[in-house]
């Protein structure tokens, strides 16, 4: 780093510490040391910091940069729209061509009859909106007591007051001491229980048991991620999503699929639910919708739900300033074009198979690496003292954090999960443009990092 660059870095670091409270960051530590990295540029799967050091973006920043960094076509799409009309509202029945064209395109690629979208600015807003729309739908149907939302433990759905309560991670649910009393968390991935096996030892606390306890006339919806992302990359057992779909049908309850992370090719199919041929009543999207280039999200709904809302003869009292933002929608439309034109969804599937091979290699090599799993380019693995026996490392051993830090030293940015005692999970999710050599490089760096951690045991 040159003297001039170092001076600029120090200036920005001091200003950052003084003026920015960072999300998902240790405030005390950050106030002392400032930003760990200040990014300057990016291209493909790579990011460069102010000092010129290059890193592999091994988690697509926040699971969202699907088409990779530095795609000029997306900047050009934004520029073209901005020079015409950067922003117009969709309130009061107003519209714009970009939001209409994107809605048409999304209806084309979604499963079943998910043909109508309510635009938001991001994932938390999308899930929060789905809760409101579900409850409002039941109001319109004369079932005003159907308010309860059931989510899954380990699930992550956002940080609004409602979505943080739906998130099945204690730190998020407990932050600020606020929450929605009409949201409860169920045990995840209990296929037999959801199919009706009441003799199952884990039945109490399953989705079905909660519905039976609370009464189906009180339950509006069940929300779940096809593959749980921020909760530790947990892939459901085969048959689970179909079992939940059937359960919701049995009790006349909405199924909400949170596709914020899984959507737009991340798992090797356009949407996560496509792996299991399930069509939810609501589908929440964001992140890969624009590959993170502009803030945009939405809630897809079935034709029947849309038609029910069309009976509402009054102002719909919900919306965001940036709902249907024309610049964001123009970028989203070009993003979808790139995903399809460049075969990136198929590439995610093929490179996911390569990533799976690499993870299997690590599991064979290290006795404390276990439960490697992935769907496309959404992957994770556990670090445990004895994976076969399910025995975690002692709490004093920060295995995942150490491996991720060692990877950082070697130029790879990946993500640890250690929010419950004994949890040591590492997530890997590179942009969908990654190639075979780059996957192999990612695995090689993780291999070196695990070896460095092993020396500390």
């Amino acid at each position: 780093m040159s003297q001039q660059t170092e001076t600029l870095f120090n200036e920005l670091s001091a200003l950052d510490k003084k003026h920015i409270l960072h999300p998902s960051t240790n405030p005390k530590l950050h106030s002392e040391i400032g930003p760990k990295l200040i990014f300057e540029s990016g291209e493909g799967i790579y990011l460069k910091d102010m000092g010129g050091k290059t890193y592999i973006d091994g988690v697509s920043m926040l699971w969202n940069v699907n088409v990779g960094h530095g795609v000029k076509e997306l900047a050009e799409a934004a520029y073209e729209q901005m020079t015409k009309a950067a922003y117009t509202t969709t309130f009061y029945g107003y519209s714009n061509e970009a939001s209409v064209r994107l809605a048409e395109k999304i209806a084309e690629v979604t499963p079943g009859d998910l043909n109508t979208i309510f635009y938001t600015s991001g994932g938390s807003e999308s899930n929060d909106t789905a809760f409101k729309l579900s409850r409002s739908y039941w109001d319109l149907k004369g079932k005003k007591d159907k308010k309860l939302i059931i989510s899954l433990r380990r699930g992550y759905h956002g940080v609004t007051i409602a979505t943080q309560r739906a998130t099945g991670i204690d730190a998020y649910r407990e932050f600020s001491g606020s929450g929605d009393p009409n949201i409860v968390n169920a045990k995840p991935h209990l296929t037999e229980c959801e199919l009706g096996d009441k003799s199952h030892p884990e039945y109490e606390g399953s989705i079905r048991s909660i519905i039976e306890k609370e009464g189906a006339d009180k339950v509006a919806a069940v929300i779940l991620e096809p593959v749980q992302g921020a909760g530790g990359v947990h892939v459901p057992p085969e048959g689970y999503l179909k079992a939940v779909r059937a359960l919701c049908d049995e009790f006349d309850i909405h199924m909400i699929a949170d596709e914020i992370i899984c959507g737009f090719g991340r798992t090797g199919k356009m949407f996560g639910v496509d792996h299991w041929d399930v069509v939810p009543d609501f589908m929440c999207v964001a992140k890969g919708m624009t590959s993170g280039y502009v803030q945009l999200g939405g809630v897809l709904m079935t034709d029947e739900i849309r038609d029910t809302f069309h009976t509402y003869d009054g102002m719909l009292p919900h919306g965001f300033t940036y709902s249907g933002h024309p610049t964001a929608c123009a970028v989203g439309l070009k993003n979808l074009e790139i995903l399809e034109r460049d075969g990136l969804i198929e590439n995610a599937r093929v490179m996911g198979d390569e990533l799976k091979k690499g993870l299997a290699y690590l599991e064979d090599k290290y006795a404390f690496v276990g439960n490697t799993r992935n769907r496309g380019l959404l992957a994770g693995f556990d670090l445990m003292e004895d994976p076969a026996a399910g025995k975690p490392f002692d709490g004093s051993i920060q295995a995942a954090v150490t491996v991720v830090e060692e990877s950082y030293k070697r130029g790879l940015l990946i993500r640890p999960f250690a929010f419950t005692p004994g949890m040591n999970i590492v997530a890997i999710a590179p942009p969908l443009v990654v190639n075979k050599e780059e996957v192999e490089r990612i695995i090689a760096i993780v291999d070196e990092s695990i070896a460095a951690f092993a020396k500390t045991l």
Side-chain angles (χ1 to χ4, degrees):
M1 185 182 294
S2 68
Q3 183 63 47
Q4 183 179 8
T5 301
E6 185 175 359
T7 299
L8 177 59
F9 179 90
N10 290 335
E11 177 191 354
L12 293 175
S13 180
L15 290 169
D16 181 292
K17 288 190 290 184
K18 182 177 180 180
H19 296 297
I20 302 177
L21 182 64
H22 283 254
S24 295
T25 300
N26 183 318
K28 183 177 185 296
L29 183 62
H30 190 83
S31 70
E32 295 168 355
I33 67 173
K36 188 172 185 176
L37 283 172
I38 298 180
F39 295 111
E40 184 175 76
S41 61
E43 183 175 358
I45 72 164
Y46 301 99
L47 287 164
K48 188 176 290 186
D49 70 10
M50 286 185 63
K53 183 175 180 179
T54 298
Y55 298 85
I56 294 173
D57 182 1
V59 280
S60 304
M61 279 289 92
L62 286 176
W63 330 81
N64 58 341
V65 188
N66 286 8
V67 301
H69 298 279
V71 179
K72 290 182 173 56
E73 283 182 275
L74 295 181
E76 290 164 356
Y79 175 81
E80 182 180 348
Q81 181 61 48
M82 283 183 170
T83 56
K84 292 192 296 185
Y87 169 75
T88 60
T89 184
T90 55
F91 281 35
Y92 320 124
Y94 299 159
S95 197
N96 62 80
E97 183 175 359
S99 68
V100 173
R101 295 297 184 194
L102 179 58
E104 177 189 36
K105 180 60 182 177
I106 290 177
E108 176 189 314
V109 300
T110 48
D113 64 340
L114 293 164
N115 294 322
T116 301
I117 189 168
F118 185 102
Y119 284 115
T120 72
S121 306
S124 294
E125 286 183 3
S126 294
N127 288 327
D128 196 276
T129 294
F131 299 165
K132 287 186 174 183
L133 292 179
S134 177
R135 289 164 172 168
S136 296
Y137 169 93
W138 294 119
D139 277 350
L140 291 171
K141 289 292 188 179
K143 300 180 179 181
K144 297 183 181 297
D145 291 334
K146 286 174 80 70
K147 302 293 184 187
L148 193 69
I149 306 294
I150 301 174
S151 62
L152 300 182
R153 296 178 192 172
R154 301 189 315 221
Y156 179 87
H157 301 294
V159 291
T160 64
I161 288 176
T163 59
Q164 79 173 33
R165 181 63 190 84
T167 291
I169 302 170
D170 289 345
Y172 290 93
R173 288 206 312 272
E174 295 167 3
F175 179 70
S176 80
S178 56
D180 186 327
N182 288 315
I183 298 176
V184 297
N185 305 115
K187 296 176 182 176
H189 299 167
L190 298 172
T191 307
E192 294 81 3
C193 297
E194 311 314 352
L195 290 172
D197 182 4
K198 296 184 180 183
S199 66
H200 194 284
E202 295 293 324
Y203 183 78
E204 186 66 26
S206 66
I207 299 172
R208 181 177 286 272
S209 78
I210 292 172
I211 293 171
E212 291 174 343
K213 179 181 178 181
E214 299 292 338
D217 60 332
K218 299 285 176 49
V219 182
V222 172
I223 184 170
L224 77 172
E225 300 159 277
V227 177
Q228 291 183 326
V233 190
H234 301 288
V235 180
E238 289 302 319
Y240 179 72
L241 262 66
K242 283 185 177 294
V244 174
R245 174 71 274 181
L247 178 64
C248 290
D249 290 340
E250 178 184 348
F251 289 106
D252 200 19
I253 292 168
H254 289 144
M255 180 181 183
I256 304 172
D258 177 348
E259 291 270 0
I260 310 302
I261 289 174
C262 296
F264 301 103
R266 169 60 53 190
T267 66
K269 290 184 179 288
M270 182 62 82
F271 297 101
V273 292
D274 293 338
H275 287 280
W276 295 281
D277 296 320
V278 166
V279 179
D281 301 292
F282 292 99
M283 178 187 286
C284 300
V285 294
K287 291 192 184 289
M289 191 174 182
T290 63
S291 289
Y293 280 64
V294 187
Q295 304 95 319
L296 185 64
V299 182
L300 281 299
M301 66 197 77
T302 63
D303 291 345
E304 193 276 331
I305 292 174
R306 175 205 61 203
D307 292 345
T308 297
F309 276 104
H310 283 177
T311 68
Y312 184 75
D313 190 14
M315 183 195 73
L316 187 70
H318 181 62
F320 304 99
T321 298
Y322 298 121
S323 290
H325 192 296
T327 300
C329 289
V331 172
L333 191 59
K334 178 59 70 171
N335 180 70
L336 276 167
E337 178 188 325
I338 293 169
L339 284 172
E340 293 186 329
R341 182 196 69 202
D342 295 352
L344 297 185
I345 299 171
E346 174 62 11
N347 190 63
R349 184 191 68 79
V350 175
M351 290 303 102
D353 289 342
E354 293 299 321
L355 185 56
K356 185 175 183 177
K357 293 176 187 175
L359 293 174
Y361 160 77
L362 296 176
E363 190 166 6
D364 287 341
K365 182 174 181 179
Y366 299 99
F368 52 81
V369 174
N371 193 24
T372 59
R373 66 269 190 188
N374 76 302
R375 272 291 187 276
L377 291 173
L378 180 55
F381 61 88
D382 293 342
L383 297 166
M384 306 182 76
E385 183 175 324
D386 186 349
K391 183 180 179 182
F393 282 115
D394 182 82
S396 63
I397 299 176
Q398 299 295 304
V401 171
T402 301
V403 168
V404 168
E405 182 61 25
E406 290 293 336
S407 295
Y408 166 75
K409 294 175 184 176
R410 293 164 173 78
L412 171 64
L413 307 178
I414 50 178
R415 186 170 174 178
F417 296 109
F419 48 77
T420 61
M423 173 185 276
N424 282 288
I425 294 173
V426 176
I428 303 174
L432 276 51
V433 295
V434 71
N435 61 38
K436 186 173 185 291
E437 292 71 26
E438 290 166 337
V439 170
E440 290 171 349
R441 179 59 184 150
I442 290 170
I443 293 297
I445 293 174
V446 175
D447 187 3
E448 294 172 12
S449 302
I450 294 174
F453 161 71
K455 291 178 181 178
T456 69
L457 296 177

